[in-house]
Amino acid sequence: KTVNGPHCSTAAKMLKAGPADEKEWADLQTHAQMLSESGFVLMADSRCPDKAWADAAKQLQDGGAALATAAAAKNVDDARAALNNSVLASCKGCHSVHRVKK
């Protein structure tokens, strides 16, 4: 919400129509790299409580990297697939187990 949410939201907005110019592609790549790095941070300091968390963190690492690669190649279809099928799926995988229900 405070870390990954803004990167995911911004990437999704950028990919709705596709990045318009070189700066937007570079910005998308930066958001993707931050998402990938967040997957590593989620595993730091022995904070991982279980397999659901570990699997989601790994999926976030890989999905963010795939999104960054697609952004570097300016491939909007691959970028959308990486965001939707990996990055956002990793969020759902972890939050379905660990998000506090209100």
Side-chain angles (χ1 to χ4, degrees), residues 5-19 27-28 31-32 35 67 79-80 83 87:
H7 292 295
C8 286
S9 295
T10 301
K13 286 176 189 172
M14 293 175 86
L15 288 171
K16 199 167 209 172
D27 288 348
L28 178 61
H31 289 292
L35 288 164
L67 178 55
R80 286 179 182 144
L83 179 68
V87 172

Side-chain angles (χ1 to χ4, degrees), residues 15-76:
L15 288 171
K16 199 167 209 172
D21 56 28
E22 293 294 321
K23 181 183 181 323
E24 285 190 10
W25 281 110
D27 288 348
L28 178 61
Q29 192 172 6
T30 299
H31 289 292
Q33 291 164 336
M34 291 303 300
L35 288 164
S36 181
E37 287 301 316
S38 290
F40 291 96
V41 171
L42 287 168
M43 296 300 294
D45 302 330
S46 302
R47 69 183 78 182
C48 176
D50 58 26
K51 184 173 178 357
W53 183 291
D55 289 348
K58 177 68 172 139
Q59 189 175 20
L60 183 57
Q61 293 166 15
D62 295 345
L67 178 55
T69 297
K74 299 177 183 63
N75 186 321
V76 73

